[in-house]
Amino acid sequence: MREKIYTIPVTDAFKEECECPVCILEKKLEDEYIEYILGPSLMEPDGRAETNKNGFCRHHIQMLYSIQSTRHALALILDTHLSEQNSKLKKMYLDKSDALKRDSEISMVKNISNKISSKQTETDKFLDSLIKELTTLENSCAVCNKLNYTMDRYMDIVLYLWFKEDDFRALFNSKKGFCLRHFRLLAESTKKYLGSKDAAIFLENLLKLQLENMERIQQEVNWFTKKFDYRNNDAPWGNSRDAVPRSIEKIVGHCNLK
Ligand SMILES: [Zn+2]
Ligand SMILES: [Zn+2]
């Protein structure tokens, strides 16, 4: 059963005039989650456990910081996140500190005698687990986690509506395609949610729509470049006046272009 709480935002986003309706969906969710993190989540033990563990990606921490009025809330979140991460790193180090010290002492002796050892040392093993730990933290984000979960629900709804509702299919097909990131997400969802027959039907439709619109945007930005030629001074702009920001959105999705 596809819940109404998911279908309404999907159809609303597809009614907007834009380069990618999925970006509209995602942006709305992202704003809601940022507000949630700085508000209700702060007082919920589960919410705090999530931000303490996962922290934020660069993009979302910038969004959180951009809201001046919630600086105290952000400081509380950062305080407990850092405290948890510091204890984790400290424990990693303390658990191995004797072995690391031993490696360091042995290496000093070997340096003096110029001996080379090919054996994996405790230092090598520690470095591997440290890098793994830091990479996991770097790639985790409490906002991205929530976004990815709901965007996945939305993609299931998009595909469901496309097959079940003629009006939605017509609306989808009348749009200007998607940004490349969401084109990829739709392709992944096609694989995940559709059987092979439906996948072939949807993909054929999606590819046609996407390629047509990738060419359209390229032509619009191409005309923008040609408008710099004095011979085209009096020629009409057509749709090309804002072709640069729209091309960027087509390539990377919604971003705050100043
Ligand atoms: Zn998009
Ligand atoms: Zn993020």
Side-chain angles (χ1 to χ4, degrees):
M1 186 65 199
R2 269 72 175 178
E3 307 89 333
K4 266 220 145 28
I5 53 157
Y6 292 121
T7 52
I8 294 168
V10 166
T11 43
D12 283 352
F14 272 83
K15 283 176 190 158
E16 298 221 20
E17 171 66 25
C18 57
E19 287 296 335
C20 176
V22 183
C23 276
I24 305 254
L25 259 178
E26 192 179 57
K27 179 75 188 102
K28 196 164 169 282
L29 264 188
E30 195 176 46
D31 289 342
E32 282 170 19
Y33 288 156
I34 291 287
E35 242 177 71
Y36 168 76
I37 295 272
L38 292 166
S41 154
L42 201 65
M43 309 308 287
E44 289 169 9
D46 285 356
R48 287 302 281 281
E50 170 79 6
T51 56
N52 288 347
K53 179 171 178 261
N54 293 309
F56 306 99
C57 67
R58 197 196 296 230
H59 168 65
H60 287 130
I61 212 160
Q62 281 172 341
M63 275 187 86
L64 290 163
Y65 186 74
S66 70
I67 307 171
Q68 299 274 352
S69 58
T70 48
R71 196 64 92 235
H72 180 223
L74 180 58
L76 291 168
I77 294 166
L78 294 175
D79 176 27
T80 51
H81 170 67
L82 278 171
S83 166
E84 181 165 319
Q85 298 308 318
N86 288 352
S87 333
K88 212 191 281 177
L89 290 173
K90 199 166 177 185
K91 185 176 181 310
M92 273 181 85
Y93 170 61
L94 290 178
D95 284 352
K96 297 282 173 198
S97 63
D98 287 344
L100 295 176
K101 198 164 173 232
R102 218 173 306 124
D103 272 356
S104 167
E105 284 162 3
I106 295 168
S107 295
M108 281 210 253
V109 175
K110 279 185 185 160
N111 270 349
I112 294 165
S113 60
N114 256 340
K115 273 190 188 160
I116 297 164
S117 165
S118 58
K119 206 176 106 212
Q120 196 190 28
T121 60
E122 284 301 318
T123 302
D124 293 331
K125 285 188 216 159
F126 180 80
L127 276 172
D128 284 345
S129 50
L130 177 66
I131 291 165
K132 196 172 160 219
E133 185 68 36
L134 292 174
T135 307
T136 304
L137 182 61
E138 200 178 314
N139 292 329
S140 68
C141 168
V143 183
C144 282
N145 283 355
K146 280 177 82 65
L147 263 183
N148 291 341
Y149 173 80
T150 313
M151 289 307 288
D152 187 46
R153 304 298 330 118
Y154 280 152
M155 292 304 100
D156 184 20
I157 298 291
V158 167
L159 297 171
Y160 172 81
L161 292 174
W162 195 87
F163 280 97
K164 296 286 175 220
E165 292 193 5
D166 293 346
D167 286 354
F168 182 79
R169 186 162 58 246
L171 181 65
F172 182 104
N173 293 345
S174 71
K175 304 313 291 181
K176 295 175 168 174
F178 304 89
C179 71
L180 288 179
R181 211 160 59 81
H182 289 134
F183 177 43
R184 186 259 304 151
L185 184 63
L186 276 167
E188 280 173 355
S189 307
T190 302
K191 231 179 128 183
K192 186 171 173 184
Y193 291 115
L194 297 179
S196 55
K197 279 186 212 153
D198 283 351
I201 296 168
F202 181 74
L203 183 66
E204 163 81 14
N205 186 93
L206 175 66
L207 275 177
K208 197 168 156 279
L209 178 70
Q210 187 68 17
L211 293 177
E212 232 169 59
N213 280 285
M214 293 304 292
E215 278 169 21
R216 186 242 331 138
I217 194 92
Q218 189 259 321
Q219 280 158 14
E220 287 172 356
V221 83
N222 178 266
W223 181 236
F224 185 95
T225 66
K226 294 208 167 97
K227 276 291 287 169
F228 283 80
D229 185 332
Y230 70 95
R231 284 166 295 188
N232 291 324
N233 265 352
D234 298 329
W237 273 96
N239 290 328
S240 291
R241 214 178 273 276
D242 61 348
V244 172
R246 282 189 297 104
S247 297
I248 294 173
E249 280 173 14
K250 203 70 175 168
I251 298 164
V252 297
H254 173 83
C255 47
N256 288 322
L257 300 171
K258 298 216 168 81

